[in-house]
Each structure stands twice: as structure tokens, then as C-alpha cells.
Amino acid sequence: MATKLLEVRDLQTHFKMREGVVRAVDGVSFDLEPGERIGIVGESGCGKSVTALSIMRLIKSPPGQIVGGNVLFEGQDLLDLSEAEMRRVRGGKIGMIFQDPMTSLNPTMTIGSQLAEGIQLHLKMSKRAAMNRAAELLHQVGIPDAEQRLKAYPHQFSGGMRQRVMIAMALSCNPRLLIADEPTTALDVTVQAQILELIRSVCQEFGTAVMLITHDMGVVAGMTDRIVVMYAGHVVESAPTDELFANPRHPYTLGLLSCIPRLDERRQETLTPIEGAPPDLLNPPPGCPFAPRCGFAIAACRKFPPMRTVGPNHIAACWVDTTDPAAQEQAQARRIAMAAARGDLPIMATGRSPTDRQDLG
């Protein structure tokens, strides 16, 4: 059996605030094979980025603290390493692309100096060799006139170009794992597609495993082999990408997918938003954290659901079989009742409400 590249086991990261303790990551577990591409998805605030920062040991303390669990990388627990040992892992064996390249790059240093710094540290190259390597990387990620652009500062690059620099920096030392935390944030659609294709092609060329963090289900559909769905600091479902889109089994995953219009088929039913808002992690609800927003909720949901196998390599944390027609009818009736109570009209996939009149001339 192949050795796992990354094994996250029962990871718990809490933030001690004046008002109480925020359990931002509360028992997260997943694996990553060498060369595999995994997507971590969920709404803002569900714990995706905190999970990535915990793996990299970049949680600011105080107020944050990793209070439990294990992060095994190539069989070694990263949580047991000293800070000096961890610095050799960051940028060397694990690279990371952060959400906002403008705040991730040092505005007082040239692009070349920032790229060369990590190369000299991890690959033990001379300054000249490191600068040559930096120029090769800029060329590889599609930045023209790379030798001259090494002398430029971050503010002289566009948002898309800065993100390309961050990709070059993350891949500069040939890491085994690349963590991409919302790498297309604040970029326009065409640039987003270019950045995602760049990450895919470069990682495929070097056999680098990818952990892609996003709230965009469309992005993970074309970029990943497997998807982990998170909600309120917990993993609620995990499955191969094709299986998850074809057969979602957790109500939250169903909700995420039902919000997305499909362009590859004629759709007549309404787009169904997820009711309510994510829970306050200072005072989470008892039992299943999604229960207050869930049309499938039953009495058993007052207890936290265990993770159970629902298909080949497919697990979900839910008491209810969401494929049961009776449960589906109950959920639909609840959604209609909640919409009627708010006085909302359902919106069709075309953007019209059912009461809109069409002037046919």
C-alpha cells in the first residue's frame, strides 16, 4: 500500500477570545496521496484556511492555538517539530499560495530578491544561481521579460501577475505538496481560468500534490480528484470529485450544489438557497451544526452525527439517508414553508420569479 503524503487526524485549532473560545477547526481528518489533487470547500468561516494554516504551523498565538490532533507529512508529525525544523519544511517540502498576493509580497523588496531568498535557504544555491532560477520560474509561470521583471516591485505588477509570482515562489523549491488558499480571489474570470490552468499544468509536470481551498464548487469540479466538504469547523462529507457531484449525501453538500445554475442542461426547477447563516462558533448549536438550517433534520440531529461510509471511498456525517424519497419530500416541504414564512418568491434559474409576466408581443 502506498504511503500517504499527508495525514490529518482529529486536528483541533481554537482561538481564545475575550467572549469565549472559538473552535475554528474541531476534529478535522483527511488524507492526501502523493500527486493527488484534493479540494477543501465550504462557506466563508467554515475553517478551510485555518486548517491550511494549522498544517503549516502559521497560526498566530495568541489568540490561536493548535490544541489537539496530528499532522503527519511523509510519516512525520509536523506538530512535534521545533520552529527551526518547521522552517525547513515551509517553502521546501510544502509550498503555499496565500489568498491576497499584495499582502503576501513584501512591498519594499524586489520580486527577484523575494524569490531568491527561499531558493538560497532551501536549495543552498549561490545568489547568482538563485536569481537565474528565479528568472526561470517567472518565465515558467508566463511572465514575459523575466530577467527585467526580477528588478520590479510588487506594486508594479497587476493582480494576476502578482498571483503568478506567488505560484512561482510556492513552487521554487520543488515541494511535494502545494497548498493553494483561494488562489483566484479578487481576480477576474479570464485571469482566474489562466491561474488555475497554470497550477494544474505545473503541478502535473512535477508530480506535486495539491490541496486547493475554495468556496467555488465549479473550481474544484475541474481541478481536483477528491473533495472534502467542511462546515463549522468539521468535515461533513468526503468523496471522489465525480462521485460527490453525481451522488451528494450530506444536506449541506446538496445545498451547495442546488445553489449553482447548470449551463450544460435545460433547468426548469428553482434555484434553492441554503436557509439561514453559519452558526456562531463561540456558541455553536448542540448536535449537528447544520441542523438549524437543514430541511432533513430529525430528532437524532440533537446529537453529533458520526462519519459513516455511504459509498466507495465516500463518507458523510449525517443521521439521515438523503436518498430516501420520504426524507426528500419532508425536506422540500420544510423549504417551501420557510420561504413562505419569509414571504420570499423562489427564483428560477433564468433569474425570473414564477409570477413574472413574459411579454411575447
Side-chain angles (χ1 to χ4, degrees), residues 151-285:
K151 303 173 186 176
Y153 289 86
H155 71 272
Q156 295 174 290
F157 286 73
S158 66
M161 297 287 267
R162 285 194 292 265
Q163 196 62 288
R164 289 174 186 269
V165 171
M166 290 300 300
I167 294 171
M169 189 176 295
L171 296 173
S172 61
C173 299
N174 303 318
R176 298 289 311 282
L177 169 63
L178 174 67
I179 300 175
D181 186 4
E182 306 257 15
T184 57
T185 296
L187 300 178
D188 62 56
V189 175
T190 54
V191 176
Q192 284 183 27
Q194 294 169 8
I195 294 298
L196 292 172
E197 179 56 33
L198 176 62
I199 293 173
R200 179 184 9 221
S201 61
V202 172
C203 290
Q204 187 172 2
E205 179 180 354
F206 294 102
T208 305
V210 179
M211 181 175 141
L212 176 64
I213 297 169
T214 181
H215 58 265
D216 190 334
M217 296 294 286
V219 168
V220 292
M223 276 287 295
T224 62
D225 305 310
R226 190 159 49 92
I227 297 175
V228 173
V229 182
M230 288 188 64
Y231 183 79
H234 301 274
V235 173
V236 296
E237 187 165 7
S238 177
T241 300
D242 291 343
E243 165 69 9
L244 187 109
F245 277 86
N247 185 31
R249 297 297 295 271
H250 193 280
Y252 180 58
T253 311
L254 287 166
L256 291 176
L257 294 175
S258 68
C259 295
I260 305 172
R262 293 287 298 271
L263 302 180
D264 60 341
E265 62 184 36
R266 186 179 180 85
R267 182 168 180 166
Q268 298 297 329
E269 67 267 25
T270 59
L271 294 176
T272 308
I274 301 176
E275 302 291 341
D280 178 5
L281 296 183
L282 276 170
N283 186 27

Side-chain angles (χ1 to χ4, degrees), residues 4-337:
K4 305 284 187 184
L5 178 66
L6 178 71
E7 298 176 74
V8 178
R9 291 284 174 266
D10 195 29
L11 182 63
Q12 300 169 60
T13 303
H14 298 173
F15 292 83
K16 295 181 180 179
M17 314 297 288
R18 184 175 301 172
E19 298 84 358
V21 177
V22 175
R23 292 172 173 81
V25 173
D26 199 10
V28 166
S29 299
F30 61 89
D31 299 327
L32 186 61
E33 302 281 354
E36 186 181 18
R37 295 175 299 181
I38 189 174
I40 311 292
V41 301
E43 292 171 285
S44 296
C46 72
K48 307 184 300 295
S49 295
V50 175
T51 297
L53 293 173
S54 299
I55 292 171
M56 296 291 280
R57 294 259 306 268
L58 290 174
I59 297 295
K60 185 177 180 180
S61 179
Q65 184 179 5
I66 301 172
V67 299
N70 304 95
V71 179
L72 302 177
F73 180 75
E74 297 182 326
Q76 184 176 42
D77 195 342
L78 299 183
L79 303 185
D80 290 337
L81 299 183
S82 66
E83 183 57 32
E85 292 171 324
M86 193 63 207
R87 277 197 297 269
R88 289 194 285 270
V89 174
R90 296 190 204 108
K93 295 182 178 181
I94 304 177
M96 185 165 181
I97 304 171
F98 295 91
Q99 286 191 33
D100 186 354
M102 192 60 198
T103 58
S104 302
L105 293 168
N106 189 330
T108 68
M109 295 175 62
T110 64
I111 294 298
S113 296
Q114 296 185 64
L115 279 169
E117 184 179 34
I119 296 170
Q120 288 180 269
L121 175 66
H122 293 289
L123 301 184
K124 309 302 180 185
M125 288 185 177
S126 66
K127 184 175 182 180
R128 176 174 293 183
M131 291 298 283
N132 290 336
R133 167 70 173 158
E136 291 175 8
L137 288 163
L138 291 188
H139 178 74
Q140 190 174 33
V141 298
I143 295 180
D145 198 15
E147 289 77 9
Q148 292 301 314
R149 300 314 293 268
L150 288 175
K151 303 173 186 176
Y153 289 86
H155 71 272
Q156 295 174 290
F157 286 73
S158 66
M161 297 287 267
R162 285 194 292 265
Q163 196 62 288
R164 289 174 186 269
V165 171
M166 290 300 300
I167 294 171
M169 189 176 295
L171 296 173
S172 61
C173 299
N174 303 318
R176 298 289 311 282
L177 169 63
L178 174 67
I179 300 175
D181 186 4
E182 306 257 15
T184 57
T185 296
L187 300 178
D188 62 56
V189 175
T190 54
V191 176
Q192 284 183 27
Q194 294 169 8
I195 294 298
L196 292 172
E197 179 56 33
L198 176 62
I199 293 173
R200 179 184 9 221
S201 61
V202 172
C203 290
Q204 187 172 2
E205 179 180 354
F206 294 102
T208 305
V210 179
M211 181 175 141
L212 176 64
I213 297 169
T214 181
H215 58 265
D216 190 334
M217 296 294 286
V219 168
V220 292
M223 276 287 295
T224 62
D225 305 310
R226 190 159 49 92
I227 297 175
V228 173
V229 182
M230 288 188 64
Y231 183 79
H234 301 274
V235 173
V236 296
E237 187 165 7
S238 177
T241 300
D242 291 343
E243 165 69 9
L244 187 109
F245 277 86
N247 185 31
R249 297 297 295 271
H250 193 280
Y252 180 58
T253 311
L254 287 166
L256 291 176
L257 294 175
S258 68
C259 295
I260 305 172
R262 293 287 298 271
L263 302 180
D264 60 341
E265 62 184 36
R266 186 179 180 85
R267 182 168 180 166
Q268 298 297 329
E269 67 267 25
T270 59
L271 294 176
T272 308
I274 301 176
E275 302 291 341
D280 178 5
L281 296 183
L282 276 170
N283 186 27
C288 175
F290 189 62
R293 307 174 70 186
C294 182
F296 289 90
I298 58 176
C301 298
R302 296 190 184 97
K303 297 181 180 179
F304 196 87
M307 192 68 75
R308 61 189 181 92
T309 300
V310 294
N313 299 316
H314 191 169
I315 56 175
C318 186
W319 293 108
V320 180
D321 179 4
T322 55
T323 63
D324 181 8
Q328 292 175 354
E329 286 185 19
Q330 171 188 298
Q332 180 63 14
R334 285 185 178 176
R335 283 194 290 264
I336 293 173

